[in-house]
Amino acid sequence: MMDELELLKRDWQKREDSHPKLTYDEIYRMIWKRSSSIVKWILIISILEFALPHLLYLIPGTSKSLEVYDKLGIKSVATVFFALGYLVIFYFIYQFYIRYKEISSFDNSKVLMEKILRTRKTVMHYVIFSLSMLLATCIMVIVAIYFSNNLYEIFDLSEGVKNVAPGKLKNSLMLSMAILSVLLVAVMAGIYFLLYGLLLRKLNRNYSELKRLEV
Amino acid sequence: MEHQFVTELQNNQNIVHKVCTLYTNDRDSHNDLFQEITIQLWKAYPKFRNESKFSTWTYRVALNTAITLYRKSKRTIKTQDFDSVIFKISSEDYDPTEEQQLRLMYNAVKQLGDIDKALVFLYLENKNYSEIGETLGISEVNARVKMNRIKTKLKTILNP
């Protein structure tokens, strides 16, 4: 085997001249092309993750739902809750920026992979935080429904519903709200893990191989 | 700065071509990976500042791109095209048994995983184990151990 690898080495070095030769212009054109590296993808996905929930507020229906907090009597609690949420989100953006800047293709392979994984972990923590926020908001609304007495008015319910007994209405509203929120969180978490699972499959495999060597 | 970079890369482009040959199977993917490595090199160039040789730096960035950063733009199933890219043996040193042996060896190397390929590549490039370890982020001893395992692995691929 040793000899065969030596043979291969000799041949490999003999082939020095058999490789394509790109001209100055060809290389020059390349440096202005856009990168499609996984780091770039992590950045794009992360920006979407930070921006998407906030773009939802631009949809007319959503801003109306903010009035619901007011009518349910939880406006001040919700405001404090969201304000704190934004503080944490800015912290995440800062963290992400620092970690993203740290990634350098000149590090050795293991360190490079570790830095990418750390950056991704920041995004993962952000997503877990966002989903918990979403869940907490839903729980807050459910609790408010439980203590509320004029559900017909708050939710703008149609005439037909007014015949339903108030207790029954309250229960079914709370139940559907709970099911909806769990479903929403589950679907979003599913999409997220699938996305990153696919994106980082190769990296995770290679990283664990390098890591295994050090044990 | 662009001029300096492009000239340097043009002089060192063989390193990048060799990495592409090892990690891709057809000409399109080869060019695609070459382009991504060039972009990564260019992006990192302002930080380069001649702390090491341009070639040393190219080895690292090229391998890192192939192993970690690069995402295939399209799936490729073909594995045969590789021969036409690398096999251009000139007639004067043509030896059928040796050629056959080399062909088998190249194909065996192509079947290795990303990390194993990187080790073999650096080995073929005459790098010592301390350099190989430094590039990949493992110790010199572990680089040696890993290389021995790869030799065994190659043996199994060649003599199943």
Side-chain angles (χ1 to χ4, degrees), chain B:
Chain B
M1 191 160 90
E2 292 140 38
H3 173 71
Q4 203 185 345
F5 172 79
V6 176
T7 316
E8 290 242 52
L9 179 56
Q10 203 190 358
N11 296 333
N12 287 282
Q13 61 172 300
N14 261 358
I15 299 171
V16 184
H17 282 302
K18 283 184 271 192
V19 171
C20 295
T21 306
L22 218 47
Y23 281 92
T24 62
N25 294 318
D26 57 75
R27 199 165 282 275
D28 278 350
S29 322
H30 181 112
N31 294 341
D32 200 43
L33 180 57
F34 191 100
Q35 179 172 310
E36 186 61 43
I37 292 172
T38 304
I39 297 168
Q40 293 300 332
L41 283 166
W42 171 239
K43 261 175 39 184
Y45 192 60
K47 282 186 241 158
F48 164 60
R49 288 193 208 99
N50 297 318
E51 280 157 15
S52 54
K53 268 175 25 198
F54 190 88
S55 60
T56 316
W57 180 66
T58 309
Y59 273 109
R60 275 205 181 198
V61 178
L63 275 178
N64 273 334
T65 308
I67 297 173
T68 306
L69 300 170
Y70 178 62
R71 262 190 74 67
K72 282 191 189 82
S73 57
K74 49 183 178 288
R75 253 168 223 286
T76 43
I77 322 148
K78 287 188 282 178
T79 46
Q80 293 310 311
D81 277 21
F82 154 68
D83 292 21
S84 60
V85 180
I86 195 155
F87 272 93
K88 279 190 229 147
I89 292 188
S90 50
S91 51
E92 60 259 36
D93 47 35
Y94 184 76
D95 172 354
T97 33
E98 199 181 284
E99 198 219 312
Q100 177 64 15
Q101 209 177 358
L102 281 168
R103 184 186 291 269
L104 288 171
M105 280 297 285
Y106 276 116
N107 276 327
V109 171
K110 292 286 275 193
Q111 287 174 42
L112 295 172
D114 290 344
I115 304 286
D116 288 357
K117 267 186 198 164
L119 267 118
V120 172
F121 169 66
L122 293 167
Y123 179 85
L124 293 178
E125 289 290 299
N126 230 352
K127 304 284 173 205
N128 59 43
Y129 285 110
S130 112
E131 282 174 286
I132 295 177
E134 240 170 76
T135 307
L136 296 175
I138 55 179
S139 68
E140 187 182 339
V141 178
N142 281 328
R144 206 181 285 274
V145 171
K146 182 81 176 150
M147 197 60 209
N148 283 327
R149 282 190 207 149
I150 295 170
K151 283 176 189 165
T152 321
K153 217 184 265 181
L154 283 173
K155 211 182 277 179
T156 337
I157 299 174
L158 287 171
N159 312 295

Side-chain angles (χ1 to χ4, degrees), chain A residues 192-210:
Chain A
Y192 172 76
F193 284 109
L194 196 71
L195 202 64
Y196 272 104
L198 288 175
L199 190 64
L200 296 179
R201 196 171 48 184
K202 183 168 104 168
L203 192 150
N204 280 324
R205 192 182 55 221
N206 288 335
Y207 180 68
S208 56
E209 190 174 344
L210 278 179

Side-chain angles (χ1 to χ4, degrees), chain A residues 88-107:
Chain A
V88 181
I89 287 171
F90 282 123
Y91 170 75
F92 273 121
I93 292 176
Y94 171 75
Q95 277 278 313
F96 177 81
Y97 179 75
I98 299 282
R99 301 232 152 124
Y100 176 75
K101 278 278 158 200
E102 261 176 20
I103 295 173
S104 150
S105 51
F106 190 52
D107 280 319

